[in-house]
Amino acid sequence: MPNAYAVLQDGNVVVEFWTGQVTHAELLAHERRHLSDPSIQAGASVLVDAERAHFGTTAEQVKDLVSLYGQIIGRLKIGRKALLVNRETYDRALILIREVEGYGVRGIIFNSLDIACIWLGLDIDMVRGQLQALKAQLEQADSAVVRRTT
């Protein structure tokens, strides 16, 4: 899968890193896993760095993603969500942010990691370090797959 995430600060913070081509099925699988992760606490702040990702989800399919939030109403753990996305993904991310607000999730799309961290009240150095660790984790996993196939 083209992403990794870490649950930090006793489950109150989630940092996600996405890269490469992401299919709609991969995105749905991630959200199902993420939304049901028992280590995430109610009201958690989520920072998503997806600037290097290219999503195969259409604007219409964003509704499939949003419906997952509706399925866990009353148990939804996400309080605030900051998204960093590329221009290609911006319109779909905007739809997502607007739709999940109906489930009590406050979200904003940012073009600066620093500003996203300020909005979430997160230490920028901690977040940068965690994003680097997640990127290295994905690179290591990709490298292991290449070794197994050659």
Side-chain angles (χ1 to χ4, degrees):
M1 186 165 284
N3 81 307
Y5 73 93
V7 181
L8 309 166
Q9 297 181 3
D10 297 321
N12 292 302
V13 174
V14 179
V15 177
E16 297 182 21
F17 180 77
W18 292 80
T19 187
Q21 194 64 40
V22 182
T23 67
H24 183 61
E26 288 171 323
L27 182 58
L28 286 174
H30 163 78
E31 281 299 310
R32 281 188 193 97
R33 185 176 67 248
H34 182 255
L35 291 172
S36 64
D37 186 329
S39 66
I40 300 172
Q41 298 300 309
S45 295
V46 179
L47 184 133
V48 179
D49 181 347
E51 291 181 299
R52 293 162 208 82
H54 304 282
F55 293 87
T57 298
T58 66
E60 274 300 309
Q61 289 173 319
V62 171
K63 293 176 183 170
D64 297 339
L65 192 59
V66 173
S67 73
L68 295 175
Y69 286 74
Q71 292 171 15
I72 58 170
I73 208 105
R75 298 173 295 146
L76 187 62
K77 297 178 181 180
I78 299 170
R80 295 191 305 165
K81 191 169 201 165
L83 299 174
L84 291 137
V85 298
N86 54 46
R87 289 178 194 218
E88 171 192 308
T89 305
Y90 180 83
D91 291 339
R92 288 166 284 162
L94 189 57
I95 293 168
L96 174 69
I97 290 297
R98 287 181 180 156
E99 294 291 324
V100 298
E101 283 180 352
Y103 298 111
V105 177
R106 291 180 53 216
I108 299 180
I109 301 169
F110 292 92
N111 60 10
S112 162
L113 180 63
D114 293 3
I115 302 300
C117 287
I118 290 169
W119 184 73
L120 290 172
L122 301 178
D123 178 78
I124 184 66
D125 293 327
M126 180 274 297
V127 171
R128 278 195 181 117
Q130 190 58 60
L131 288 170
Q132 285 297 328
L134 293 170
K135 182 179 178 183
Q137 178 183 336
L138 288 174
E139 288 171 351
Q140 185 176 23
D142 284 346
S143 156
V145 169
V146 169
R147 282 194 303 264
R148 276 188 263 145
T149 59
T150 56

